[in-house]
Structure formats: C-alpha cells, structure tokens
Amino acid sequence: MKKKKEGQEEEALSKSEDSELELEREETEEQKRKRRVRELFSNAGIFLLVFCFGLFLNRYMIANAQVPTGSMETTVMAGDRILVNRLSYVFGEPKRGDIVTFLYPDDGETLYLKRIMGMPGETIAGSDGVIYIDGKPLEKDFTQKVSYDEFGPYTVPEDSYFMMGDNRNDSWDSRYWEHKFVKREDIIGKAAVSYFPHPRILK
C-alpha cells in the first residue's frame, strides 16, 4: 500500500514537471511571437520614417529630375539625371548664369531647365550672335552654340527672369515663348549636380 502511494506521488510529480516544461515551452513560443511582432513594427517604423524623410527632401530640399531634351547641351545632356537644390534661393537671389528648374510660364505646369540670362529690370536683346544687356555686349554668354537669331529688345519685369538654353540653336526658351519671363515664385530651385550618366557639378 505504501509503495503504491509512493508510486502515485511519483507519477503526480512527473506529471507536474511535464506540465511545467510544457508551460515553459508555451511561454517561449509566446515570447518568440511577441519578439517577431516587435521586429515587424520596428522595421515598419523605420521604413515609414525613411519614406517620410524622402518625401520631405523631395518637397522642401532636393528635387530629382531627368532632362528630356538637348536644349542645355553641352552643359547638361539629354537623359542626364540631376539634383536640384530647392533651398538655393531661401537666403539669396537668383543670379545670371544659374541653371534653374521652373514652371513653364505658358502653361504653369511643365518643368523646364534653362539658364538665367536676363535679370529683373534689365533690357535684353540678341543680334548677330551677340547678347546685349542694357545695350552692352554680354561678355560671358555661357554657350558654345552661337545663335544668330535676333530677338528683343525685351525689358525684364521686376521679380522675373529671361531664360535661355545653352544649346541656343535648339532651345525653346524665353525668346520664343508667349509669356517671355519666369516669375521668381515659379523657380523651383538651382540645378546642382548631374549624377548619371555624366557625373559632374553644374555651373
């Protein structure tokens, strides 16, 4: 009788130990599940943060664009991918010679890439391959493609700019637009770098 009782006690003890081991295994699986859930949320949070940061950069700091035409050759080639600094003119004003992206004034939607040639208040004209600013020849005209098309004289309004492409013989620019001047508020930013397939700093 005593042995039987001892056997029952040992069996009960064994079942108790098995239950504890099973409970430990269940807790371990639960811990693994919780850890996987935490990792999932952590990775999702990182992805969301990177995504939002990318949107912030694209909206307020840097724009990524591809040049579709050869109007800025040989400075910027057709197909080049460029970075545009949206903050260039937060603390300064556009200057003659800056390569900028802006909203095409004839539709207010299409993004163009050109060089600033005429500044606010100036009178700009072109004759015999020479650009004149307020009646004086412009010494640095930023091109290797001389155009003998005559244009102007045009007086640039305040807070506006006259744009030209570096490939003067194949550029749809201020010389030919219906609305010839780009307003300051329509300039997106200054083109800073061409990073593919011809890496270089733009100037």
Side-chain angles (χ1 to χ4, degrees):
M1 187 71 178
K2 184 178 180 181
K3 289 183 178 180
K4 185 178 180 180
K5 187 176 180 181
E6 288 177 352
Q8 290 175 343
E9 290 176 352
E10 289 177 357
E11 184 178 352
L13 182 59
S14 177
K15 288 181 178 180
S16 176
E17 290 175 349
D18 290 342
S19 298
E20 290 177 0
L21 289 173
E22 183 65 26
L23 183 60
E24 288 179 2
R25 281 196 293 269
E26 289 177 359
E27 289 177 352
T28 301
E29 289 300 321
E30 180 67 16
Q31 289 172 353
K32 289 181 180 178
R33 188 185 68 81
K34 288 180 178 180
R35 185 172 66 253
R36 285 195 292 267
V37 171
R38 284 196 299 269
E39 290 175 353
L40 179 63
F41 276 103
S42 177
N43 292 336
I46 292 172
F47 175 80
L48 182 61
L49 182 63
V50 170
F51 178 74
C52 291
F53 184 65
L55 287 179
F56 175 80
L57 284 179
N58 188 61
R59 178 66 180 84
Y60 297 104
M61 297 180 68
I62 298 173
N64 182 23
Q66 185 171 18
V67 180
T69 72
S71 69
M72 283 297 294
E73 293 181 357
T74 57
T75 308
V76 184
M77 308 301 290
D80 279 1
R81 298 204 67 90
I82 63 172
L83 294 178
V84 177
N85 185 356
R86 292 178 179 271
L87 301 180
S88 293
Y89 304 124
V90 173
F91 301 107
E93 291 300 314
K95 298 179 178 61
R96 190 187 336 274
D98 287 356
I99 300 172
V100 296
T101 57
F102 55 89
L103 296 176
Y104 175 44
D106 283 352
D107 68 11
E109 295 179 357
T110 308
L111 286 180
Y112 269 37
L113 178 78
K114 304 290 180 188
R115 194 185 291 274
I116 295 175
M117 295 301 293
M119 301 293 290
E122 294 180 340
T123 297
I124 185 169
S127 179
D128 294 326
V130 179
I131 295 175
Y132 294 88
I133 302 293
D134 294 334
K136 298 179 181 179
L138 185 63
E139 293 183 6
K140 187 175 183 180
D141 61 5
F142 305 98
T143 185
Q144 300 174 13
K145 308 279 188 178
V146 177
S147 172
Y148 291 91
D149 288 351
E150 296 195 2
F151 66 92
Y154 302 118
T155 299
V156 185
E158 291 300 319
D159 294 321
S160 298
Y161 301 86
F162 191 92
M163 305 291 185
M164 297 178 72
D166 287 2
N167 187 2
R168 299 285 155 77
N169 292 305
D170 189 20
S171 175
W172 183 252
D173 53 37
S174 286
R175 294 172 292 174
Y176 312 113
W177 300 339
E178 179 181 355
H179 301 88
K180 298 193 173 300
F181 311 106
V182 175
K183 294 180 180 179
R184 171 70 175 79
E185 64 192 45
D186 289 334
I187 295 178
I188 306 300
K190 181 179 178 181
V193 175
S194 172
Y195 66 90
F196 181 84
H198 307 103
R200 63 198 177 282
I201 296 174
L202 299 177
K203 55 184 178 179

